[in-house]
Amino acid sequence: MADAGCWSRSALSNTISDDDAFAALQGSSIAWNGTVYNYMRLAEESEGVVCAAYDLTKDNIVACEEYNNSDIPLTGITAPAILKASVTVNGHTNTWNLYVMENLADTPFPECPVPILRADSYKLRRLIADGGRAIVTADGLADAIDGSFEPVFWSPAFFPSKKTCGMMIDHTHPVFHSFPTERYTDFQWREPVIHSKNMDTGSFPEDFTPIVEPVPNFYDNTRLSPLFEARVGRADILFCGFDLAGTDPASLQLKKSILEYVASGDFKPLQRLNKDVFGARS
């Protein structure tokens, strides 16, 4: 933590006083001894996290647009992660999530260990009958519905819309082993969601639980999912409406996590769906 203007906990405990101004905000100050240091200590003890503090006093402040990956070293992070950035001024704290992804832009992905099939393909129909495993895409679905990251505006009663109100995510599911997420959507989901296709799951059993399920607005109230798994006929199927050809960091990270999951022994769907659920016909 001593690199790049990063303070150690011992330094924090006896250096900055609550009379020092924070950055260029006149009259603002941070009681480092009573807030940051104790917050870090408690977080490390109770949450099992490693904390670091960075020198943002006015002699070292860097404008937001000037920051890049070299300003805050991430060498201690060995896997995709959700970081918390907190700033406290005069006893008031704001906290932001920061999502750390691997640099996969120039990394060739290994061949998918299972076939990736269209929802209307003959190969899928044979797989369901004969047995096997596959990722099924939304290609070929007659009723695929575009994903929406931005929620419905105000009230769909006045502004008719099928936009959803966020998503419910089974964030502990092993398919997200390499993709940092919580049980709801945050900004790391933006690119995957806006390029996604949902399947209408209204005909599924009432107790069927998708891995990811958009929250419908009350005016539309259609059950959807861009990601679920099921035993269909004799096949283990992962339906994926996310764009596996996406090139943004989040989409690449999600793709890696999905491919790792279907190659693992964890891919064992327990829920069952009718063999005609995809209407495979061609």
Side-chain angles (χ1 to χ4, degrees):
M1 291 192 297
D3 298 333
C6 180
W7 291 321
S8 67
R9 288 175 297 168
S10 60
L12 281 174
S13 65
N14 56 22
T15 54
I16 306 302
S17 73
D18 60 4
D19 292 327
D20 291 313
F22 177 80
L25 301 177
Q26 296 300 317
S28 297
S29 62
I30 294 181
W32 284 101
N33 291 345
T35 55
V36 175
Y37 174 69
N38 286 332
Y39 176 82
M40 291 167 60
R41 177 177 57 80
L42 290 172
E44 289 187 339
E45 291 176 357
S46 63
E47 303 296 334
V49 298
V50 177
C51 294
Y54 291 84
D55 186 350
L56 296 179
T57 51
K58 71 179 179 182
D59 291 337
N60 299 291
I61 194 70
V62 179
C64 294
E65 62 270 15
E66 296 175 2
Y67 270 103
N68 57 53
N69 289 336
S70 64
D71 290 304
I72 298 180
L74 301 176
T75 52
I77 301 173
T78 58
I82 303 175
L83 307 183
K84 301 286 185 180
S86 295
V87 173
T88 301
V89 177
N90 287 342
H92 302 283
T93 300
N94 271 355
T95 301
W96 299 266
N97 285 346
L98 304 177
Y99 295 91
V100 180
M101 309 287 180
E102 297 175 80
N103 184 6
L104 300 172
D106 300 318
T107 303
F109 279 84
E111 183 178 352
C112 183
V114 302
I116 300 176
L117 305 176
R118 290 173 55 96
D120 62 349
S121 68
Y122 173 77
K123 289 183 178 180
L124 175 58
R125 188 167 62 188
R126 293 308 315 161
L127 188 81
I128 290 172
D130 298 338
R133 312 168 112 193
I135 294 174
V136 175
T137 70
D139 295 329
L141 279 181
D143 58 352
I145 299 172
D146 292 341
S148 174
F149 182 77
E150 291 77 15
V152 62
F153 175 67
W154 190 26
S155 171
F158 297 101
F159 301 92
S161 172
K162 290 189 175 183
K163 286 188 175 182
T164 54
C165 304
M167 299 193 306
M168 297 181 292
I169 302 166
D170 182 1
H171 67 297
T172 63
H173 194 286
V175 75
F176 298 124
H177 178 267
S178 295
F179 184 79
T181 186
E182 296 174 292
R183 60 187 178 87
Y184 48 83
T185 43
D186 205 337
F187 197 73
Q188 88 279 27
W189 279 101
R190 183 180 185 277
E191 291 300 317
V193 169
I194 63 177
H195 296 109
S196 69
K197 299 285 187 180
N198 290 284
M199 183 169 176
D200 187 333
T201 59
S203 63
F204 289 14
E206 288 188 5
D207 60 351
F208 186 88
T209 304
I211 301 171
V212 176
E213 184 171 17
V215 179
N217 70 65
F218 70 87
Y219 197 77
D220 180 63
N221 207 32
T222 302
R223 289 192 66 186
L224 305 170
S225 177
L227 190 68
F228 64 83
E229 64 180 356
R231 182 78 174 168
V232 183
R234 300 179 62 188
D236 291 333
I237 300 296
L238 179 73
F239 173 78
C240 179
F242 295 112
D243 183 9
L244 296 177
T247 58
D248 62 279
S251 293
L252 289 172
Q253 192 69 58
L254 182 59
K255 176 181 178 179
K256 178 184 179 182
S257 196
I258 288 172
L259 296 187
E260 288 176 345
Y261 172 65
V262 296
S264 73
D266 292 326
F267 182 31
K268 297 177 180 178
L270 299 178
Q271 302 179 104
R272 301 192 69 90
L273 290 174
N274 186 285
K275 63 184 179 65
D276 298 321
V277 64
F278 296 109
R281 57 187 181 277
S282 61

